[in-house]
Amino acid sequence: MPTSTSTSTSTSTSTALLRLRRQLLSTAYGNMDFRYQLLASLADRALAELDRHSSPEAEELADSHLRPEYIGITEGRALSEAGSLGIDTSGWEERRERIRSYTRGADAVTPDGTPADSAQRLWASLFDNYPSVAAALADLLTGLPPSWRMDLFQTNDLTQVPAEPRQQGDNGPETAPYSSTDWEDCAACMEANDLCRFHSGFLAGEQHLRGLLATLATDSIALEQLQDRNHEIGQRQARESAEKSPERETSQ
């Protein structure tokens, strides 16, 4: 029966399906990039759904994806697959080149990059997103006197300037505008080569909220405290509303 076939295929340790799902689930669990986590999780769910409907087809698909010639999607194949789905790719090449010219090597800048690397990325971001600020900064820097190194840092060798302590996971100040509605095309994330500060904070808040919801679902005392607090707030708002209503009638 299909159910028994699916079970035996999924539990076998030598199947391509299990190896591919292991890679996807590992990425969904441990990758530091939220976008890769999400994509890996979605791909694993799709494979699991296919396995429930047709185990042989799921195994064949997983085996084809693990072949060396398949790994690493090419530009031509990406355009071909998108075209076969009826997706308009006329702007894809321009967008790709814009991103490449925008980053100017930002993908090679690690959190432990040199000050020169960070300065290059910072200038590129200002130039692309805030040209007036970039122009003002250039005027400011070119207007400094020849003695600026000694005046500001008491040394003519900038390598002797103490580096600021870097927080773990901090890729430096991104200047690109944040895209609060689009995680995939957020220019600040591209600049930081990671989640930008806005999306890092949004994700941290989301995780904190999940923790609170999990606590409320499992801790009856916490739920009672929350209900009592909401009741207090409701009573206070009712009193404030009652106190303001006579004033409104008088003014009218």
Side-chain angles (χ1 to χ4, degrees), residues 131-232:
S132 59
V133 176
L137 179 62
D139 288 339
L140 175 65
L141 296 179
T142 53
L144 291 176
S147 59
W148 69 269
R149 292 176 184 263
M150 182 61 71
D151 295 340
L152 297 177
F153 301 105
Q154 303 303 309
T155 177
N156 288 320
D157 184 4
L158 282 184
T159 60
Q160 301 300 320
V161 177
E164 295 181 1
R166 184 178 296 277
Q167 301 294 327
Q168 185 177 4
D170 183 8
N171 284 359
E174 65 272 356
T175 60
Y178 305 134
S179 178
S180 59
T181 59
D182 194 342
W183 290 58
E184 181 180 358
D185 291 329
C186 177
C189 289
M190 297 176 192
E191 177 193 324
N193 199 27
D194 198 350
L195 292 181
C196 65
R197 297 174 191 274
F198 175 86
H199 287 119
S200 294
F202 186 88
L203 181 61
E206 214 174 37
Q207 293 172 340
H208 180 67
L209 179 60
R210 290 197 195 104
L212 291 178
L213 293 176
T215 300
L216 293 176
T218 57
D219 191 336
S220 58
I221 297 178
L223 182 59
E224 291 178 1
Q225 292 176 343
L226 179 62
Q227 291 173 337
D228 292 341
R229 178 58 177 163
N230 286 337
H231 183 65
E232 292 175 1

